[in-house]
Amino acid sequence: MSDYDLRPRRSVAFIGSECYPFVKTGGLGDVMYALPRALSRQNCDVKVILPRYKCIPWQYQEKMIYRGEFRMDLCKDGRSFYVGIMEYVWDGVVYDFIDNEEFFGSGNPYTNLVDDIPKFCFFAKAALAALNYMNWVPDVIHCHDWQAALVPVFLRTMFAGTPVGDAKTVLTIHNLRFQGVYNIPTIQYWTNLPDYVFNKDALKQGYEDANMLKGGLDYADRITTVSGTYAGEIQTPFYGENLDAHLRYHSGKLRGIVNGIDCGIWNPWTDNKLAVQYDITNVLDRKRQNKRALQEQLGLWQDDHVFVIGLVSRLTDQKGLDLVNAVLPRMMDGHTQVVVLGTGDEQYENSFRHYEDAYRGSVCSNIMYDEGRAHSIYAGADALLVPSLFEPCGLTQLIAMRYGTIPIVRETGGLKDTVQPYNRYTNDGNGFTFDHYDAELLLDAVNRAKTLYFTNRWCWDEMVQRDMDKDVSWEQSAAQYRDLYLELKP
Ligand code: ADP
């Protein structure tokens, strides 16, 4: 990017429910961290607005500076609430945390819908009120997922005619499965939004429910999702989570922009969580050392020649784990090891624990959330499995490629857009893929990967280097977001 960017500057407020390193439960947290930083390098002035959860580590809390406080009307019966603003400036990005003990004092970002619905009704309105309070009116307000989806609705109703009402809005869908659905009277009570927004084209869903994401999609000026393929898929009944017709209706303002990863954090050359750091020039030798270290750390048989498959994932239905469960015994041929890292549904946690018992020394199931271990697996594994039922973008396959670990993925959503299948005739591609959601096809993809690894290591190694060389950074995607902001005339 040139130092002399002649395109007009844009100011953007990001509003979302999580952001690394303050609080992260999945890919949204990574995006809320990396995209604002990439945008600030592309002539954008970015503020990120987040809830001040109790679970944010003290090392960040203690550096926050008090920016002010006010009371805000929220509920239908006139109940008003305290809104505090705590600020933290870091690397060109301003983070403003919305403080309220009643909503955010319980610790974790998400608990259950009964508590989460009021929490994010409050958050959406408080974020806009805070922008007015700070007298900072951005050109664009960029909201993320259902937790911030009421922002465009509030903006065009209660905040129309206030300073922040001049801003344009972009709503990004990171995962359509989660929509913030509850009965109309409850959401009406917690927002005091006018009756007309609860019509069937906006918030109303079915006979008695209100859907916060659906309302946001209607009121936003632009909708984005995190890959081109997912943007198409969500307009079909299979992937549309009951909003496919609504999304088809709004398809003119919908587009897909694939995620990147922060190449500062995910850099095997500087990653101090690895046994040995490496780059493209020494990856073949040093990856072997990382594999050894991983096997030693996890109590697996130590052998340079086995094929190590990693799986770093939330353990939920979305991630295709029933396919893995169905064929894992047939993957275990004495030359293969499987390392799982994840938490989630009890059924999957237990089945992976069972496989660890059944194949001790060859399977290791780490039922936990552990950033450090994730880094060790990306560096020490030969391949990473991402057989998702649906995957809006997926970050783990991008991280894997950056670490020279070959992704084995199902061709859906962002996995399809970012992993080009290996072609043995032309010897190009980045990984192994399969199309239909079928355990036998997953097994076939794993076997194709193993065949190349064991019988044609030269071509495998070339792919390792090709993957490390692939541009998986945020720069290109951030430029597409910046262009989108420029399209939206203030
Ligand atoms: P999703 O957002 O659907 O969970 P993504 O692939 O977009 O999936 O992002 C997952 C992110 O969370 C990646 O950065 C991955 O490394 C991280 N992650 C997932 N599970 C764990 C875990 N158990 N421990 C550490 N990091 C994890």
Side-chain angles (χ1 to χ4, degrees):
M1 198 65 228
S2 137
D3 286 346
Y4 304 101
D5 196 331
L6 297 176
R7 276 158 290 206
R9 195 165 172 81
R10 279 286 179 272
S11 52
V12 189
F14 268 56
I15 304 181
S17 58
E18 56 182 271
C19 177
Y20 177 87
F22 311 110
V23 54
K24 167 182 158 183
T25 69
L28 171 63
D30 288 318
V31 176
M32 291 286 289
Y33 165 78
L35 180 55
R37 292 160 67 96
L39 285 167
S40 77
R41 293 192 291 272
Q42 299 201 12
N43 209 17
C44 289
D45 202 4
V46 192
K47 217 183 232 309
V48 181
I49 304 187
L50 298 162
R52 186 191 181 191
Y53 304 109
K54 206 172 197 159
C55 62
I56 295 173
W58 179 241
Q59 68 192 96
Y60 304 113
Q61 301 258 15
E62 69 175 351
K63 292 195 194 114
M64 294 177 189
I65 293 163
Y66 171 81
R67 271 296 303 261
E69 64 179 72
F70 56 93
R71 288 198 75 81
M72 179 185 79
D73 292 343
L74 182 70
C75 301
K76 213 178 173 79
D77 60 8
R79 259 171 91 191
S80 72
F81 291 86
Y82 167 88
V83 180
I85 307 171
M86 303 294 288
E87 195 161 275
Y88 180 67
V89 183
W90 182 31
D91 250 5
V93 178
V94 179
Y95 298 86
D96 281 312
F97 293 86
I98 303 294
D99 192 21
N100 179 292
E101 182 68 20
E102 197 173 331
F103 290 112
F104 306 132
S106 68
N108 292 335
Y110 318 117
T111 38
N112 54 66
L113 263 195
V114 175
D115 293 331
D116 289 351
I117 292 284
K119 184 191 297 179
F120 293 112
C121 289
F122 166 80
F123 174 60
K125 189 171 181 188
L128 290 174
L131 287 171
N132 273 341
Y133 176 87
M134 292 186 284
N135 202 12
W136 196 78
V137 178
D139 298 315
V140 179
I141 299 181
H142 191 158
C143 326
H144 299 265
D145 273 351
W146 75 266
Q147 295 92 344
L150 284 186
V151 168
V153 186
F154 277 122
L155 193 76
R156 298 285 169 248
T157 53
M158 290 176 173
F159 286 81
T162 73
V164 77
D166 291 339
K168 299 287 179 186
T169 54
V170 176
L171 175 58
T172 294
I173 304 168
H174 295 263
N175 191 334
L176 189 63
R177 179 150 285 184
F178 309 108
Q179 300 176 1
V181 181
Y182 218 74
N183 63 58
I184 290 175
T186 302
I187 293 185
Q188 228 163 5
Y189 170 77
W190 280 104
T191 58
N192 197 23
L193 280 164
D195 289 347
Y196 63 82
V197 306
F198 293 92
N199 73 67
K200 70 173 179 38
D201 293 328
L203 273 114
K204 189 173 180 187
Q205 173 167 298
Y207 291 105
E208 54 197 24
D209 284 335
N211 180 326
M212 288 163 59
L213 183 68
K214 180 168 175 275
L217 296 173
D218 190 49
Y219 277 85
D221 296 305
R222 289 284 188 284
I223 305 167
T224 70
T225 187
V226 288
S227 68
T229 296
Y230 194 60
E233 286 174 343
I234 55 178
Q235 297 179 53
T236 66
F238 183 79
Y239 293 99
E241 305 284 350
N242 296 322
L243 287 187
D244 49 298
H246 192 62
L247 285 159
R248 283 197 300 278
Y249 179 77
H250 288 292
S251 60
K253 61 178 184 184
L254 166 66
R255 96 174 50 158
I257 300 177
V258 81
N259 286 337
I261 55 170
D262 187 283
C263 291
I265 294 181
W266 298 108
N267 181 354
W269 182 238
T270 53
D271 190 337
N272 58 20
K273 299 189 176 78
L274 308 191
V276 273
Q277 282 105 10
Y278 57 94
D279 65 11
I280 195 165
T281 61
N282 52 25
V283 52
L284 303 177
D285 179 45
R286 300 224 178 149
K287 213 163 167 25
R288 205 171 306 129
Q289 295 176 45
N290 278 298
K291 185 197 276 192
R292 270 281 164 146
L294 181 69
Q295 290 169 327
E296 193 179 336
Q297 183 191 8
L298 302 184
L300 295 169
W301 306 126
Q302 289 174 45
D303 182 348
D304 291 348
H305 302 292
V306 296
F307 183 68
V308 176
I309 302 176
L311 195 151
V312 179
S313 178
R314 287 184 291 116
L315 303 181
T316 67
D317 287 340
Q318 178 196 333
K319 299 293 180 176
L321 303 166
D322 46 347
L323 303 189
V324 181
N325 273 331
V327 294
L328 193 136
R330 284 195 280 156
M331 289 183 201
M332 306 315 298
D333 51 11
H335 308 289
T336 304
Q337 294 180 342
V338 175
V339 177
V340 178
L341 173 65
T343 56
D345 297 354
E346 209 172 316
Q347 127 198 37
Y348 295 121
E349 293 189 349
N350 288 338
S351 63
F352 285 120
R353 283 194 187 104
H354 160 77
Y355 283 130
E356 178 175 275
D357 276 346
Y359 299 97
R360 201 154 278 284
S362 295
V363 175
C364 179
S365 300
N366 304 270
I367 307 301
M368 60 178 76
Y369 189 94
D370 185 333
E371 288 276 342
R373 196 152 292 185
H375 286 244
S376 311
I377 295 172
Y378 291 123
D382 295 295
L384 189 92
L385 217 51
V386 200
S388 305
L389 174 63
F390 69 94
E391 194 61 76
C393 179
L395 297 175
T396 58
Q397 83 281 10
L398 301 179
I399 302 170
M401 288 191 275
R402 177 110 172 102
Y403 280 63
T405 303
I406 305 299
I408 302 175
V409 307
R410 179 164 169 255
E411 291 165 19
T412 183
L415 299 171
K416 184 171 180 184
D417 293 356
T418 57
V419 180
Q420 189 198 338
Y422 176 68
N423 181 328
R424 65 192 167 116
Y425 301 107
T426 55
N427 193 34
D428 60 14
N430 310 105
F432 293 87
T433 70
F434 62 101
D435 50 9
H436 296 297
Y437 192 74
D438 180 328
E440 294 303 318
L441 295 183
L442 164 63
L443 185 62
D444 178 64
V446 171
N447 286 339
R448 277 183 280 131
K450 280 193 210 174
T451 304
L452 190 74
Y453 181 84
F454 287 116
T455 65
N456 198 343
R457 186 66 65 85
W458 173 254
C459 288
W460 178 274
D461 289 346
E462 274 189 347
M463 180 150 53
V464 167
Q465 288 170 318
R466 199 159 52 239
D467 281 8
M468 284 190 78
D469 207 26
K470 187 176 158 74
D471 182 7
V472 290
S473 76
W474 264 106
E475 299 314 309
Q476 281 185 33
S477 310
Q480 291 181 52
Y481 279 109
R482 197 240 359 249
D483 293 345
L484 176 71
Y485 302 152
L486 288 175
E487 264 172 51
L488 292 167
K489 297 245 169 5

